[in-house]
């Protein structure tokens, strides 16, 4: 007979504040934050490309700072505010960075995009008017294979510029389908 | 013209991608995000030996483990497959022999990934280790134990090609300058950020596979063959892609295995490769050793070219036969070479199999040819740009190897980058340099992977009171093909792309499309949806014209209106008359193959053109090459969405710089030296120079709205332009990719010691190329088209 | 998805308790801080542990504050990002802030700590690979094997010390405060390392790096230059940490410590001796860099060929010396730099 509870190890209830909601999950302590977000909480917007800290695809925000969820243990971030890509838009309204990514063509395959967006959000929080070089430095832990980074950096600068001048377009993004 | 003769409404506008909002909000469901209830997890056991016979496999220990539902080996999947009909040399699980470290031999389905992984340790495989073959030279020698594959030969040679177009000996005899140069292009890999992933479910004799594949149709065929099920009982859904670049174009072991395990267990089964396994799946750029012999007159007219290539194919065929031909096919699409001999050879080695990566088989010879031309220019005391211009292929001609050229923006691309970069007035100081190169690429291969007379792209457009839906088998791998298809249909129907619903890449729902490879989607699927959309529009127009009592030509379709009414009203009217308004479209490329065996590789209905200037600062003390700026002009025919095209150019330049400077898939002690994202160096945001892109529009007569490809071509000229810039800066030649600091220093040392100031291969091995098939070039009558 | 092996997790209330927890079963227990070195190594089964003892949350390991005699004390649990951006460090010990800011990538620096960086495992590209890969190539001395794959004749392991901050801490004559189950002791950072790729730390396994004390006498200059092939993510493949005290044009003391050229940070003793007492000028800098590069013997077990890395040591030392203090231009015309 097949035993369906093959996985043991130390299991605990972790209570995480994710995107403003208090979520709890019963998880082995050796499951990373990445695994718990994707597999237990259904937040598959967080991507992964190596699980070893080498690509940045799994970046989430912990208390507003970018961290690699593949190298974080949920028990270590209990009580802290976790933001994933699913928490960036407010309801149906895109975050200014999400909007500028869409408009500038900063998204190709989109696999690096969640990590890029969250990292960029943390940067603009700390430095609302970054130079091109500062944006590149901030995103340097997030690999992208599609864009050559050009339009990603453009998009971050566009969002910063709009925030600075208060020129924020509203309404649906021109031409983009849902 | 669409829109009743007006200006184009949405084609040519930099509109956001139709799938971008889903991607920025984390809502796109990629293959690894597919979650089905009761899913089991699969892990593959892979060979630790580069070359060994599999004598016995004992999986009982694994089967007894709690949580393990099934263990399979080669005996369970005995049917061989392979992407090309001529090389059906792969097994999902190798039953009798492993050919590289990472070759799968067994698979486990278990209740979770941890259990499946642990079970692998309980499978005992008895191997008889065989001598490994780890280089082109070794593959040409008689094998120590036995050849890697049981076909091909002599030794470990997989494929030999010899073709001669025109009288090459005469061409060299006529030449006033002849030179021969050797080059080497190291292998490298796609490294998509998304690791390959698949989930399969089997219900009532039907199997469904969700997979990150670029070629659902070819996977569909392979599954049918290996699983022994009719295609009608298999459904392949290509999920949105986290990056492909050619690396997800073969049917893969894990895709077949999850289907088999799902059938055996009655539960969904998923498998996501680890990054290390992605390096083993590979199918990336072939390492290629090349010899280029060029003859020219004193004033720079090329009289003959003799090109020899030797490809390190890795352990299996994959696309290798095509790759081999591609190393010889496209030299003539940029230069009007009157006499051309091509000898190609692909060998098997005990490495992960090579295949198609962005530019498939052509970046290597392009690197060699462009550098050889630079050297020839130096011999002739000519400006390298003028030398090339002297020989540029002209639009609407046929090349010596029978390729039909239609639109050709080489001159314009060259002018744009040379002017913008001030190439001719660049500052001349040690350490600073610029390099120039051009290239060309296919807008879709002219022939399918398996021979047939059916269309390459088929689609359907339906309109009813609920709106417009496009059904297309094309796969958006991030390049934005869904957006292009939506744009074309929107243009024809006077709507916005966002109003078009797309159903793509699902073999149950969408007609056949050969897939996202060879830069074919915009051109071929684009032409197919264009046809379908025009047919659907005609039905709407007819209905409205009847209601308006006017001739159909008088009905204007634009800006959400059809004649005197809204699009919705027109759709309802047409639906009253016809029921569902449904139109199909398809595209079959014209038969352009030349009159010789091997002519199937190279023809394309249209070729894109690119020109690049790369500017570097190269430090003679450290050998470090810092790219300052890249100018790239690309003849895309027509930019259906310029933002997407520029994105493809930037991505292509990025990937080219990675290959040119540091990416290498290399082996040591019989295995991949560093199957890790940390050690396999992929450029970060801090390593990218500014890129200036110029789009050149030549409006190709056969492309949709005149469009040609953009996904692969722009990579090609950047690699040679970089090596050329290093020569311009330091006066040394690095005739080898990647151009590492160490090689630059070695070349400088070579020069300091009185050598030629060069690093690169010094000898070309003796290869038993067959006698060349002599092909008469197209005569004067067919030479212009 | 590459997953962690099973372990249990303990959260001590003090560094002392943490040390005691490790001391209970030192073979099977590891201290965990940011986890950026430990967790990848556990995933690749390079390390094994039944228990992880977390120290990152400990108040004793937090904060950057003034220490005795004008020194700066950096808590072992301070993140690399916090250290890199700290005003005091950037002002008084810029080389240290630079070194912390050059570790890996921005998100990794948000988790990785100063204590973890001082204790980071040595590296070798025959060792820093997955379990299956290491099994295929044949395990090496450092874990589960009997021979070194880089230097097969050798009885020792040559894995490379790859910390960016350790050489800088040594150059600055830093001292670590180590906490054991029974109390604290201090150890110069220079004595924290052993020239052995396996047993690379001289501290007891259970001892917690609670603080790093960095003397910061007025006028001390410092700089760190790191060699790597990409602008981010990569470990150093050579590096130079320089601390310098000048009295006008005279060099009072110079300390140069190299990263990633041996199994421990390598102090360039000959160069230091040469520089001390000399005039800070172009000629001295060039000769100092030449001498510093002498002892570096990179092996073929890190990125980049060892030929190139060896050659680059001199370049990074020279760059670090120049970054530490402006070098007066030579009076005679001529360019430095070309070899
Ligand atoms: C992709 C990648 C790139 C990297 N690049 C660099 C780089 O460029 N330069 C570099 O220096 N490092 C690099 N690292 C290694 C590592 O991230 C850093 O060294 C980091 O500072 C380690 O700190 P941590 O807190 O995460 O340590 P942990 O992983 O938690 O621990 C590392 C080791 O130190 C021990 N330890 C941790 N804290 C203490 C303490 N307070 N007292 C005693 N022992 C302790 C642990 O037991 C373990 O043995 C890289 C890692 C990755 C994955
Ligand atoms: S230096 Fe030798 S023993 Fe040490 S990790 Fe590398 S191969 Fe193993
Ligand atoms: S998945 Fe976390 S860094 Fe790659
Ligand atoms: S958009 Fe594909 S990896 Fe960045």
């Amino acid at each position: 007979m097949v035993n369906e509870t093959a996985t043991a190890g130390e299991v605990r209830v972790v209570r995480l504040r994710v995107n403003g909601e208090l979520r709890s999950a019963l998880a082995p302590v050796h499951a990373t934050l990445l695994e718990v977000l994707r597999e237990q909480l259904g937040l598959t917007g967080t991507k992964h490309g190596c699980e070893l800290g080498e690509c940045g695809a799994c970046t989430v925000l912990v208390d507003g700072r970018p961290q690699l969820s593949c190298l974080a243990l949920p028990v270590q971030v209990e009580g802290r505010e976790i933001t994933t890509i699913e928490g960036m838009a407010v309801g149906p309204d895109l975050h200014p960075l999400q909007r500028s990514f869409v408009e500038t063509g900063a998204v190709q395959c989109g696999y690096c995009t969640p990590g890029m967006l969250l990292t960029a959000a943390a940067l603009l929080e700390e430095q609302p008017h970054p130079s091109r070089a500062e944006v590149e430095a901030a995103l340097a832990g997030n690999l992208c294979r599609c864009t050559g980074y050009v339009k990603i950096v453009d998009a971050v600068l566009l969002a910063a510029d709009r925030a600075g001048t208060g020129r924020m377009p509203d309404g649906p993004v021109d031409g983009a389908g849902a | 013209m669409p829109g009743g003769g007006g200006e184009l409404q949405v084609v040519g506008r930099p509109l956001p991608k139709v799938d971008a909002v889903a991607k920025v909000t984390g809502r796109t469901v990629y293959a690894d995000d597919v979650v089905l209830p009761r899913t089991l997890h699969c892990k593959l056991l892979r060979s630790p030996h580069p070359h060994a016979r599999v004598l016995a496999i004992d999986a009982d220990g694994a089967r007894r483990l709690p949580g393990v539902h099934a263990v399979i080996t080669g005996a369970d999947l005995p049917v061989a497959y392979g992407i090309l009909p001529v090389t059906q040399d792969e097994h999902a699980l190798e039953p009798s022999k492993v050919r590289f470290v990472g070759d799968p031999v067994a698979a486990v389905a278990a209740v979770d990934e941890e259990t499946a992984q642990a079970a692998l340790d309980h499978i005992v495989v008895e191997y008889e280790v065989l001598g490994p073959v780890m280089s082109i030279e070794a593959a040409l020698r008689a094998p120590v134990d036995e050849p890697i594959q049981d076909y091909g030969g002599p030794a470990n040679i997989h494929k030999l090609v010899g073709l001669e177009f025109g009288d090459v000996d005469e061409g060299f005899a006529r030449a006033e300058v002849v030179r021969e140069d050797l080059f080497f292009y190291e292998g490298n890999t796609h490294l998509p950020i998304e690791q390959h992933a698949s989930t399969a479910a089997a219900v009532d004799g039907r199997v469904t596979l969700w997979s990150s594949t670029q070629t659902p149709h070819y996977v569909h065929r392979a599954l049918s063959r290996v699983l022994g099920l009719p295609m009608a009982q298999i459904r392949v859904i290509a999920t949105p892609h986290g990056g492909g670049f050619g690396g997800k174009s073969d049917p893969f072991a894990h895709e077949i295995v999850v289907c088999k395990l799902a059938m055996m267990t009655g539960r969904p089964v998923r498998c996501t490769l680890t990054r290390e396994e992605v390096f083993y799946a590979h199918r990336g750029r072939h390492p290629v050793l090349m010899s280029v012999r060029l003859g020219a007159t004193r004033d720079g007219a090329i009289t003959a070219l003799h090109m020899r290539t030797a490809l390190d194919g890795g352990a299996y065929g994959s696309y290798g036969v095509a790759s081999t031909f591609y190393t010889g096919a496209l030299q003539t699409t940029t230069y009007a070479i009157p006499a051309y001999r091509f000898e190609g050879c692909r060998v098997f080695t005990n490495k992960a199999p090579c295949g198609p990566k962005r530019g498939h088989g052509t970046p290597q010879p392009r690197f060699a040819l462009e550098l050889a031309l630079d050297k020839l220019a130096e011999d002739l005391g000519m400006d390298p740009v003028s030398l090339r211009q002297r020989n540029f292929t002209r639009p609407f001609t046929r090349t010596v190897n029978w390729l039909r050229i239609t639109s050709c923006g080489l001159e314009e691309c060259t002018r744009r980058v040379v002017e913008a970069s001030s190439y001719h007035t660049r500052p001349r100081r040690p350490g600073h340099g610029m390099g120039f190169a051009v290239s060309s690429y296919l807008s879709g291969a002219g022939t399918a992977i398996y021979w047939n007379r059916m269309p390459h792209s088929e689609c359907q457009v339906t309109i009813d009171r609920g709106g417009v839906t496009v059904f297309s088998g094309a796969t958006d791998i991030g390049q934005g093909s869904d957006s292009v298809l939506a744009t074309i249909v929107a243009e024809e129907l006077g709507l916005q792309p966002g109003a078009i619903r797309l159903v793509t890449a699902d073999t149950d729902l969408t007609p056949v499309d050969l897939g996202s490879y060879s830069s074919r989607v915009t051109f071929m699927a684009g032409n197919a949806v264009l046809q379908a959309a025009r047919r659907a529009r005609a039905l709407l127009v007819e209905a409205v014209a009847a209601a308006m009592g006017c001739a159909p030509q008088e009905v204007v379709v634009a800006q959400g209106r059809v004649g005197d009414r809204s699009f919705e009203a027109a759709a309802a009217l047409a639906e009253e008359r016809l029921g569902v308004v449904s139109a199909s479209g398809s595209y079959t490329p014209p038969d352009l193959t030349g009159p010789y065996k091997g002519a199937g590789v190279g023809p394309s209905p249209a070729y894109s053109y690119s020109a690049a200037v790369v500017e570097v600062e190269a430090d003679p003390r450290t050998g470090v090459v810092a790219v300052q700026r890249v100018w790239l002009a690309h003849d895309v025919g027509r930019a259906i969405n310029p933002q997407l095209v520029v994105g493809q150019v930037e991505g292509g330049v990025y990937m080219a710089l990675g290959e040119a400077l540091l990416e290498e898939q290399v082996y040591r002690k019989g295995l991949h030296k560093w199957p890790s994202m940390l050690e396999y160096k992929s450029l970060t945001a801090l390593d990218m120079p500014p890129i200036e892109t110029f789009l050149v529009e030549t409006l190709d007569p056969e492309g949709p709205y005149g469009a040609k490809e953009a996904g692969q071509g722009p990579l090609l000229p950047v690699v040679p332009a970089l090596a050329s810039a290093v020569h311009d800066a330091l006066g040394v030649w690095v005739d080898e990719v990647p151009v590492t600091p160490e090689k630059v220093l070695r070349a400088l040392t070579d020069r300091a010691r009185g050598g030629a100031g060069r690093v690169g291969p010094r000898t070309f091995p003796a290869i038993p190329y067959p006698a060349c098939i002599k092909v008469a070039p197209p005569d004067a009558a067919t030479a212009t088209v | 998805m590459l997953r962690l092996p099973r372990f249990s997790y303990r959260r001590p209330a003090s560094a002392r308790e943490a040390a005691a927890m490790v001391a209970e079963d030192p073979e099977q227990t590891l201290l965990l801080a940011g986890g950026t070195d430990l967790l990848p190594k556990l995933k690749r089964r390079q390390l094994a542990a039944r228990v992880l003892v977390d120290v990152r949350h400990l108040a004793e390991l937090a904060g950057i504050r003034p220490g005795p005699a004008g020194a700066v004390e950096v808590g072992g649990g301070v993140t690399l990002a916090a250290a890199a951006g700290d005003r005091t460090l950037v002002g008084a010990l810029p080389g240290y802030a630079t070194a912390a800011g050059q570790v890996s990538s921005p998100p990794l620096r948000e988790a990785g700590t100063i204590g973890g960086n001082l204790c980071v495992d040595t590296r070798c590209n025959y060792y820093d690979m997955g379990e299956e890969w290491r099994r295929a190539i044949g395990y090496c001395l450092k874990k589960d094997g009997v021979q070194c794959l880089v230097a097969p004749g050798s009885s020792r392991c040559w894995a490379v010390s790859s910390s960016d901050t350790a050489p800088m801490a040594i150059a600055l004559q830093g001292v670590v405060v180590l906490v054991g189950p029974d109390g604290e002791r201090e150890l110069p950072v220079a004595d924290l390392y052993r020239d052995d790729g396996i047993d690379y730390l001289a501290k007891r396994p259970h001892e917690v790096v609670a603080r790093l004390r960095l003397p910061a006498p007025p006028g001390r200059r410092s700089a760190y230059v790191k060699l790597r092939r990409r602008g981010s993510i990569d470990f150093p493949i050579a590096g130079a940490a320089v601390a310098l005290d000048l009295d006008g044009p005279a060099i009072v003391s110079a300390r140069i410590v190299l990263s990633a050229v041996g199994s421990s940070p390598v102090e360039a003793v000959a160069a230091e001796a040469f520089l001390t007492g000399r005039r800070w000028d172009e000629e001295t800098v060039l000769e100092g860099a030449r001498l510093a590069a002498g002892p570096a013997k990179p092996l073929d077990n890190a990125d980049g060929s060892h030929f190139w890395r060896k050659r680059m040591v001199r370049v990074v030392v020279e760059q670090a010396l120049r970054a530490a203090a402006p070098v007066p231009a030579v009076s005679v015309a001529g360019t430095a730099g070309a070899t």
Side-chain angles (χ1 to χ4, degrees), chain C residues 124 126-127 140-142 147-151 156-159 301:
Chain C
C124 167
Y126 286 89
Y127 162 71
C140 77
L141 270 182
K142 188 158 159 81
Q147 69 161 350
C148 171
L149 299 167
V150 193
R156 61 161 285 189
C157 163
W158 298 92
N301 60 353

Side-chain angles (χ1 to χ4, degrees), chain A residues 2-4 7 30 38 47-49 51 54 85 98 103-104 107-110 144-146 149 151 174, chain B residues 16-17 23-24 30 32-33 69 111-112 190-191 195 241 275 478 643 647-648 650-651 654 663 678 683:
Chain A
V2 165
N3 178 354
E4 291 294 330
T7 305
H30 66 279
R38 285 181 56 84
K47 299 299 175 220
H48 57 107
E51 302 97 65
E54 302 171 353
I85 190 64
Q98 291 175 311
E103 289 175 1
T104 23
V107 183
Q108 287 192 26
C109 79
C144 173
R145 289 292 281 176
C146 299
Y149 307 101
K151 297 204 183 305
D174 183 23
Chain B
K17 281 160 59 122
K23 284 177 174 173
V24 297
Y30 296 88
D32 191 49
D33 306 333
H69 285 250
V111 65
D112 57 26
H190 320 83
L191 203 80
Q195 299 141 316
H241 242 255
R275 179 53 60 183
Q643 189 184 72
Q648 286 304 305
E650 289 165 352
Y654 155 86
E663 293 185 31
L678 177 59
L683 300 175

Side-chain angles (χ1 to χ4, degrees), chain B residues 436-722:
Chain B
F436 167 81
V438 303
S439 66
S440 166
Y441 198 69
L442 323 169
S443 301
T447 49
I449 292 294
Y450 63 99
W451 196 90
N452 70 82
R453 286 186 197 281
M454 291 172 280
H456 290 204
S457 285
E458 298 172 335
C459 76
Q460 212 179 347
V461 171
T462 63
I463 304 171
D464 61 18
R465 68 203 91 168
V468 181
T469 311
V470 178
F471 298 86
S472 159
T475 312
D476 193 321
I477 58 168
Q479 85 280 42
S481 67
D482 281 3
S483 301
V484 167
L485 301 184
T487 301
I488 291 173
V489 174
E491 181 68 52
E492 291 302 317
L493 299 179
L495 299 170
Q496 288 296 311
I500 310 296
R501 288 180 306 230
L502 288 162
V503 178
T504 58
D506 177 335
T507 61
D508 260 17
L509 303 179
T510 59
V512 170
D513 182 278
L514 295 183
S516 273
Y517 67 98
S518 83
S519 275
R520 51 178 301 288
V521 180
T522 291
F523 200 97
M524 299 198 181
N527 267 328
V529 296
L530 182 62
Q531 184 182 59
R534 284 187 177 159
R535 286 174 175 168
R537 187 187 62 186
L539 298 174
L540 290 187
V541 163
E542 218 174 274
V544 172
M548 285 170 66
C550 65
Q553 306 83 271
E554 288 165 44
V555 177
V556 176
V557 181
Q559 275 155 11
R561 300 191 67 78
V562 181
D564 63 352
R565 64 201 69 203
S566 71
F567 184 86
E568 291 72 24
L573 185 67
E575 202 183 339
E576 277 171 32
R577 273 169 62 112
L578 304 165
V580 182
V581 177
S582 170
S584 66
S586 58
Y587 179 76
T588 312
D591 182 4
L592 297 166
T593 49
Y596 60 95
K597 189 166 178 285
V601 176
S604 173
Y607 298 90
S608 75
Y609 287 92
S610 312
V613 169
V614 173
E615 180 185 26
V616 303
E617 292 288 341
D619 184 343
R621 186 179 186 197
T622 61
V624 171
V625 175
V627 180
Q628 304 299 300
R629 193 175 284 271
V630 177
W631 294 264
L632 197 136
H634 184 67
D635 164 19
V636 66
R638 152 121 47 204
I640 290 185
N641 181 331
Q643 189 184 72
L644 294 183
V645 178
V646 172
Q648 286 304 305
V649 170
E650 289 165 352
V653 170
Y654 155 86
M655 200 160 266
L657 292 176
E659 295 190 11
L661 292 168
L662 66 180
E663 293 185 31
E664 310 179 69
Q665 169 120 337
V666 286
Y667 291 75
R668 179 175 67 184
K669 294 186 197 277
L671 35 47
H672 194 302
K673 189 170 175 187
W674 39 43
S676 108
M677 265 185 148
L678 177 59
E679 298 301 335
Y680 181 93
K681 303 297 180 191
S682 159
L683 300 175
T684 74
L686 282 172
D687 306 308
M688 277 302 289
I691 301 169
E692 280 182 40
T693 302
F694 306 90
L695 300 186
V696 170
E697 299 197 318
T698 49
L699 303 186
D700 189 79
E702 287 181 34
Y705 305 100
K708 300 192 285 189
E709 78 88 37
Q712 311 197 59
L715 176 145
L716 297 159
V718 178
V719 184
L722 179 129

Side-chain angles (χ1 to χ4, degrees), chain B residues 136 183-189 284-290 312 351 357 364 367 659 662-667 680 735-739 743:
Chain B
I136 293 171
F183 301 92
F184 180 64
Y185 201 111
E186 186 54 273
N188 53 56
T189 199
R285 185 86 71 227
H286 285 75
V288 185
L289 186 57
M290 292 161 286
D312 181 345
K351 304 179 186 176
K357 181 185 170 192
Q364 303 97 323
F367 168 72
E659 295 190 11
L662 66 180
E663 293 185 31
E664 310 179 69
Q665 169 120 337
V666 286
Y667 291 75
Y680 181 93
D735 290 339
E736 214 178 280
V737 166
V739 180
K743 289 178 194 167

Side-chain angles (χ1 to χ4, degrees), chain C residues 168 180 235:
Chain C
M168 199 63 241
F235 279 90

Side-chain angles (χ1 to χ4, degrees), chain A residues 106-113 116 143-147 152, chain B residues 193 242-243 245:
Chain A
V107 183
Q108 287 192 26
C109 79
Y111 225 67
C112 67
T113 307
M116 290 284 184
L143 293 178
C144 173
R145 289 292 281 176
C146 299
T147 62
I152 292 176
Chain B
I193 303 294
F245 316 111

Side-chain angles (χ1 to χ4, degrees), chain B residues 252-274:
Chain B
F252 284 98
H254 64 277
E255 294 177 313
I256 296 167
V257 162
V258 290
C259 290
K260 180 75 186 174
L261 287 169
M263 290 164 72
M264 285 172 65
T265 59
R267 289 175 63 167
V269 178
R270 70 195 251 109
C271 180
T272 301
L273 302 189
T274 62

